[in-house]
Each structure stands twice: as structure tokens, then as C-alpha cells.
Amino acid sequence: MKRFDHLTPTVKTGENAVAANVSERLEAAIRDSKSANTVRAYRASWRKWEEWSAAHGARVMPARPEAVALFVAERAEEGKSVASLRLAVAAIAAAHDAAGHANPCADRVVKTAMQGLVRQAAQAGASQKQAAALTAEAVEAIRGALNGAADGNPKVARDIAIVSLLACTGLRRSEAAALDWSQVGTEADGSGRLTVTRSKTDQEGDGAVVAVSRLAMRDLERWAELQGRDRQGPVFGLSGRQVSRRVAACAKAAGLGDGFSGHSGRVGMAITMLRNQAASATIMRQGRWNSERMISRYGRNETAGEALRYL
């Protein structure tokens, strides 16, 4: 990608006058308002901004919009994805907000730079890659491939339960990792209800209740029985990364190929519900989305196929 040469910042050498503990202050300020994963990502992005500023003689905080624009442009030249660029901008904005400074990323210069970089990435075919979908069909294939070994193998039963639960609830991998048995309830018809106490889009901890299919509940119950202990404490006892790895391993074992991850359940849930002609409001409620944007993105291939009815 070409650098935005006209965005060269006018900064004075040695103007980097931010206190050495700014990273610690940033983390402390946003820790209670962001998830742990977000804090870690912001911390890493903020350090990159500090390193770049030191190398270019730019002021870390309050930052000049022109310097931020040049920073993200150079990151794009290094091959960073659009998602990484947006994360960098968000981290810089959060740091300034936490310190009580004006947000340089709200300036037209930064917004214009980001719009140009996103457009260049799209033209180069570098749109953000979507995780493979854990649709109902994919889950059935995994269950068919692994079910034979599940009754005598607790780990296999656990993996099937992970895949099944993510595909119908749209849990994020971090939410699945943090899931406790106290959050899972059984209904009279054999389905379940799962209380998500805090999530990426619910930082205040208001909580949400989502439905669990009867099949997923049976998979969970088998896993609970094979655990050989009361249904107390963590449901899976894995980290978010481990959850993602188990999903990928299950998909590969079923011959579904690569591209599956801890995010596949959210994509698959949206697509399955779209195929079953669920209303957008119902999908949003189950996935805990605040708008239809992600539903449209995940289901763009499905909705594009609707045109075939008229062709």
C-alpha cells in the first residue's frame, strides 16, 4: 500500500513527554469497562504506538492526528490487516479518553486515512477473513464422525458438547471458557436456557438469556455424566484458545477442512437461523447483537442466493 505522504506529521524531536507509566494507567482505567481480551489487545497496540512515536520523535499523548494517520498508514504498509489498524486506532482513542485528552482519532485526518486504507485493502482483496461456519449441518457431520467414541471418552464428549453449544447459542470462545454450570438451566421440553453474565457487548454485566437446543442439552448432559462429579464449577475448564483449538480439531476430524475456530459458532448460528427464515430481531437476540450489521455480513452468501428465486 502507498503511504499517505501528505499526512506527514509536524512534530518536534524530543516532544515525547508522556509519563513512563502511561501503559499501566491506561490498563487500570479501562480494565473495568473492557473484557480481559480487549485490555490485552489494547495494551499491545498501545505499545506499538509508543515505539513508533519514540522512533519518529512524535508526541505519544496528546497525540497529533497527523501522526496517528501516518502511524496507521505505515502499519498498513507492513501488511497489517484492517482489523489490526482499527484496533490500533481504538487503543489510542481509549488511552486519550482515559487520560482526559481529546481523541485524536476523531479528527477528520485520521478518519480519512482509515477510509482510504480500508478501501485500498478491499481493492487488494484483503477483506477480513470470516471464520468457517458451524452450521447445523456441520455440527451433524462432527457428531456423526465422533459420536461413536464419545460414550467412552470424556474428552470427545466434551468436544462435541463445545461444538454443539457454540453452534446454537453463538457463544464467543471467551464466554464458553468462562461458562459455569450455574449458568445452565433445563426446560421441561428438554431444551435449555443459558445466562451469559457478561460479554464483549455487555460490559455493564446486565446479562442475557439465550436458548440451547435439545440436542446441545443432551450433549452437555452426556459430558456432565462422564465428568463423574456434580454439575458445579466450570463447564469445560478450558481457556478461550483451547476452545478454539477443539473446534478446529473436531471440524478436521469430520473432514470439514480448515478455517474453523472459536468464532465459527457465531457465524454458523446466524446462518442456520437465516436458512430457517428467522426474523432479524430473533437472530440479534440470540447472538446478542445490537444491530443487523453482523448478521448481514455473516449471511451475505445466503441472502445473495435469494436472487436465484427470480432468475
Side-chain angles (χ1 to χ4, degrees):
M1 294 184 183
K2 295 181 179 179
R3 179 182 299 180
F4 286 77
D5 293 323
H6 63 287
L7 297 177
T8 303
T10 54
V11 294
K12 299 177 182 178
T13 303
E15 200 176 22
N16 190 344
V18 177
N21 67 342
V22 66
S23 295
E24 288 75 12
R25 289 193 291 112
L26 165 63
E27 183 175 345
I30 67 175
R31 186 181 296 119
D32 291 336
S33 63
K34 302 290 183 183
S35 70
N37 287 339
T38 301
V39 171
R40 283 192 290 270
Y42 276 20
R43 184 196 306 138
S45 292
W46 177 255
R47 285 174 180 166
K48 290 294 183 183
W49 164 244
E50 286 182 315
E51 292 168 2
W52 185 92
S53 297
H56 291 75
R59 187 171 58 201
V60 176
M61 187 189 296
R64 297 177 185 273
E66 295 84 0
V68 176
L70 184 58
F71 168 65
V72 293
E74 289 193 2
R75 296 284 285 168
E77 284 184 348
E78 295 169 2
K80 300 303 178 184
S81 67
V82 169
S84 294
L85 301 182
R86 286 174 172 157
L87 177 63
V89 169
I92 293 170
H96 282 70
D97 181 64
H101 291 298
N103 176 14
C105 304
D107 190 274
R108 182 176 58 84
V109 172
V110 178
K111 290 183 176 181
T112 300
M114 282 299 299
Q115 289 170 356
L117 292 169
V118 170
R119 187 162 51 249
Q120 288 177 7
Q123 291 171 351
S127 57
Q128 190 171 353
K129 189 176 180 180
Q130 181 170 294
L134 267 179
T135 59
E137 293 80 8
V139 174
E140 189 58 33
I142 291 171
R143 193 180 280 112
L146 301 180
N147 243 348
D151 289 336
N153 190 323
K155 289 185 178 180
V156 175
R158 177 203 62 197
D159 289 353
I160 292 176
I162 289 172
V163 167
S164 187
L165 187 67
L166 263 60
C168 71
T169 61
L171 284 181
R172 299 174 177 87
R173 70 178 195 176
S174 59
E175 294 165 349
L179 189 63
D180 189 274
W181 280 111
S182 63
Q183 297 170 245
V184 183
T186 304
E187 298 295 307
D189 64 355
S191 66
R193 298 294 183 271
L194 192 153
T195 302
V196 184
T197 55
R198 183 165 177 165
S199 68
K200 180 179 178 180
T201 55
D202 178 27
Q203 295 300 321
E204 299 301 320
D206 292 334
V209 177
V210 297
V212 183
S213 70
R214 285 188 286 271
L215 275 174
M217 284 301 295
R218 286 202 289 269
D219 291 332
L220 276 174
E221 288 164 4
R222 177 172 59 181
W223 160 234
E225 291 171 2
L226 289 174
Q227 276 186 297
R229 59 176 185 267
D230 293 336
R231 300 182 190 185
Q232 296 180 348
V235 174
F236 299 120
L238 300 175
S239 68
R241 287 187 179 182
Q242 288 172 323
V243 167
S244 191
R245 291 191 190 111
R246 297 323 306 155
V247 171
C250 287
K252 189 163 290 188
L256 298 177
D258 299 323
F260 288 84
S261 70
H263 202 71
S264 292
R266 289 184 71 71
V267 181
M269 183 211 72
I271 291 176
T272 296
M273 294 185 74
L274 281 170
R275 288 176 178 174
N276 291 327
Q277 300 183 332
S280 293
T282 303
I283 303 174
M284 287 169 59
R285 184 166 55 249
Q286 182 73 353
R288 292 156 290 124
W289 286 297
N290 296 322
S291 74
E292 296 183 21
R293 186 174 67 87
M294 295 310 297
I295 300 173
S296 298
R297 177 181 163 191
Y298 292 157
R300 55 192 171 190
N301 287 340
E302 299 297 316
T303 53
E306 292 178 2
L308 296 176
R309 299 179 185 178
Y310 312 102
L311 295 175

